[in-house]
Amino acid sequence: MENEPDKNLKQILVVEDEPAIAENIAFAVGTENMVPLVVATAGEAWEILKARPVDLMVLDVGLPDENGFDFCRRVRTISNVPIIFLTARQAEIDRIVGLELGADDYVTKPFSPRELTARIRAILRRSGTSVPAATTSEPEPLFLVDHSRKAISYEGQPLNLSRYEFRMLELMVRHPGQVFSRDQLMDHAWEEPDASYDRTVDTHIKTLRAKLRKINPKSDCLQTRRGWGYCLKECP
Ligand code: CA
């Protein structure tokens, strides 16, 4: 019998057919006190899921043998394992966010391994299976987006957001430091942007800011760039 795997270490199933990306993920997961199990096809992942419990699955949408969405549905018939999608295309993101696929989160390519491991940790924490902190681990991100629940937490506390507020904040959280014009925010958040006026964005930003300050009165994350628009300050 080989050495028993350490039961305290979380097993992360990585389903990705691009070797360079898979290697990057495996390395990042390994340095965060978790054990990566890397496979390149849905077929191999299916065999693992049937044979043994894993704590979370990172699932590429574009796999050689089966579409990641179809595979996710199939997995949901046998397992509630948390799933993070890897995706490269806006159309795929819309499907993940719009349909009830049972995904817990998604990460868009290209992504930083650290971003991915932060999300893995967040999901494991939420599902009550926390990971012992690695000595090099970063502080938790200020904002955590939960796409399946359409919810965002700030400093660990849930924000009670309207649909527009969620969409605007989610966009800015994904691109910290990037300045968004009112038009860009409106295009992203409103179904019929033309039906509204600029001022509406200002109003929603104002309520968003108030909600952040309810949690932290000194919050200055959400910044106004006069003449340009708004951005989320890159937090330390
Ligand atoms: Ca792929």
mmCIF file of all heavy atoms in Angstrom, residues 15-18 21 40 60-64 86 109, ligand 1:
data_model
loop_
_atom_site.group_PDB
_atom_site.id
_atom_site.type_symbol
_atom_site.label_atom_id
_atom_site.label_comp_id
_atom_site.label_asym_id
_atom_site.label_seq_id
_atom_site.Cartn_x
_atom_site.Cartn_y
_atom_site.Cartn_z
ATOM 1 N N VAL A 15 -9.699 19.951 -14.507
ATOM 2 C CA VAL A 15 -10.022 19.360 -15.807
ATOM 3 C C VAL A 15 -9.705 20.399 -16.871
ATOM 4 O O VAL A 15 -10.466 21.361 -17.073
ATOM 5 C CB VAL A 15 -11.512 18.954 -15.888
ATOM 6 C CG1 VAL A 15 -11.739 18.045 -17.094
ATOM 7 C CG2 VAL A 15 -11.962 18.273 -14.607
ATOM 8 N N GLU A 16 -8.551 20.260 -17.500
ATOM 9 C CA GLU A 16 -8.064 21.277 -18.435
ATOM 10 C C GLU A 16 -7.169 20.578 -19.456
ATOM 11 O O GLU A 16 -6.248 19.859 -19.085
ATOM 12 C CB GLU A 16 -7.287 22.349 -17.647
ATOM 13 C CG GLU A 16 -6.446 23.263 -18.486
ATOM 14 C CD GLU A 16 -7.256 24.128 -19.436
ATOM 15 O OE1 GLU A 16 -7.992 25.001 -18.974
ATOM 16 O OE2 GLU A 16 -7.158 23.903 -20.664
ATOM 17 N N ASP A 17 -7.442 20.796 -20.744
ATOM 18 C CA ASP A 17 -6.689 20.068 -21.767
ATOM 19 C C ASP A 17 -5.479 20.832 -22.278
ATOM 20 O O ASP A 17 -4.689 20.289 -23.035
ATOM 21 C CB ASP A 17 -7.615 19.701 -22.939
ATOM 22 C CG ASP A 17 -8.234 20.927 -23.579
ATOM 23 O OD1 ASP A 17 -8.786 21.761 -22.829
ATOM 24 O OD2 ASP A 17 -8.172 21.067 -24.805
ATOM 25 N N GLU A 18 -5.329 22.105 -21.877
ATOM 26 C CA GLU A 18 -4.130 22.831 -22.292
ATOM 27 C C GLU A 18 -3.048 22.611 -21.235
ATOM 28 O O GLU A 18 -3.172 23.102 -20.110
ATOM 29 C CB GLU A 18 -4.440 24.313 -22.447
ATOM 30 C CG GLU A 18 -5.256 24.609 -23.694
ATOM 31 C CD GLU A 18 -5.740 26.045 -23.728
ATOM 32 O OE1 GLU A 18 -4.877 26.925 -23.857
ATOM 33 O OE2 GLU A 18 -6.950 26.271 -23.600
ATOM 34 N N ILE A 21 -1.620 25.571 -19.065
ATOM 35 C CA ILE A 21 -2.575 26.120 -18.089
ATOM 36 C C ILE A 21 -2.770 25.139 -16.935
ATOM 37 O O ILE A 21 -2.764 25.519 -15.761
ATOM 38 C CB ILE A 21 -3.927 26.426 -18.778
ATOM 39 C CG1 ILE A 21 -3.744 27.520 -19.835
ATOM 40 C CG2 ILE A 21 -4.961 26.864 -17.744
ATOM 41 C CD1 ILE A 21 -4.991 27.849 -20.609
ATOM 42 N N ALA A 40 -7.162 15.729 -18.473
ATOM 43 C CA ALA A 40 -7.347 16.557 -19.667
ATOM 44 C C ALA A 40 -8.692 16.343 -20.353
ATOM 45 O O ALA A 40 -9.024 17.050 -21.299
ATOM 46 C CB ALA A 40 -6.223 16.277 -20.666
ATOM 47 N N ASP A 60 -12.603 23.332 -17.245
ATOM 48 C CA ASP A 60 -12.505 24.107 -18.479
ATOM 49 C C ASP A 60 -13.778 23.895 -19.301
ATOM 50 O O ASP A 60 -14.291 22.777 -19.373
ATOM 51 C CB ASP A 60 -11.275 23.620 -19.260
ATOM 52 C CG ASP A 60 -11.039 24.417 -20.529
ATOM 53 O OD1 ASP A 60 -11.403 25.608 -20.552
ATOM 54 O OD2 ASP A 60 -10.501 23.851 -21.494
ATOM 55 N N VAL A 61 -14.299 24.957 -19.904
ATOM 56 C CA VAL A 61 -15.516 24.806 -20.710
ATOM 57 C C VAL A 61 -15.218 24.053 -22.011
ATOM 58 O O VAL A 61 -15.987 23.213 -22.456
ATOM 59 C CB VAL A 61 -16.145 26.182 -21.021
ATOM 60 C CG1 VAL A 61 -17.310 26.029 -21.992
ATOM 61 C CG2 VAL A 61 -16.634 26.845 -19.739
ATOM 62 N N GLY A 62 -14.057 24.367 -22.647
ATOM 63 C CA GLY A 62 -13.737 23.746 -23.933
ATOM 64 C C GLY A 62 -12.850 22.524 -23.778
ATOM 65 O O GLY A 62 -11.634 22.619 -23.770
ATOM 66 N N LEU A 63 -13.469 21.374 -23.632
ATOM 67 C CA LEU A 63 -12.717 20.124 -23.484
ATOM 68 C C LEU A 63 -12.820 19.315 -24.770
ATOM 69 O O LEU A 63 -13.782 19.468 -25.524
ATOM 70 C CB LEU A 63 -13.281 19.306 -22.317
ATOM 71 C CG LEU A 63 -13.064 19.912 -20.931
ATOM 72 C CD1 LEU A 63 -13.875 19.161 -19.895
ATOM 73 C CD2 LEU A 63 -11.588 19.903 -20.557
ATOM 74 N N PRO A 64 -11.840 18.450 -25.036
ATOM 75 C CA PRO A 64 -11.845 17.733 -26.315
ATOM 76 C C PRO A 64 -12.990 16.733 -26.457
ATOM 77 O O PRO A 64 -13.475 16.503 -27.565
ATOM 78 C CB PRO A 64 -10.497 17.014 -26.335
ATOM 79 C CG PRO A 64 -9.989 17.043 -24.940
ATOM 80 C CD PRO A 64 -10.607 18.213 -24.266
ATOM 81 N N LEU A 86 -13.602 27.415 -16.027
ATOM 82 C CA LEU A 86 -12.587 28.228 -16.699
ATOM 83 C C LEU A 86 -13.122 28.540 -18.077
ATOM 84 O O LEU A 86 -13.522 27.634 -18.816
ATOM 85 C CB LEU A 86 -11.285 27.433 -16.866
ATOM 86 C CG LEU A 86 -10.539 27.041 -15.601
ATOM 87 C CD1 LEU A 86 -9.296 26.257 -15.993
ATOM 88 C CD2 LEU A 86 -10.168 28.269 -14.806
ATOM 89 N N LYS A 109 -10.139 33.265 -18.716
ATOM 90 C CA LYS A 109 -8.766 33.204 -19.218
ATOM 91 C C LYS A 109 -8.464 34.496 -19.986
ATOM 92 O O LYS A 109 -9.327 34.952 -20.702
ATOM 93 C CB LYS A 109 -8.599 32.020 -20.161
ATOM 94 C CG LYS A 109 -8.776 30.663 -19.528
ATOM 95 C CD LYS A 109 -8.702 29.593 -20.605
ATOM 96 C CE LYS A 109 -8.877 28.211 -20.013
ATOM 97 N NZ LYS A 109 -8.835 27.177 -21.042
HETATM 98 CA CA CA B 1 -9.669 23.864 -23.512
#
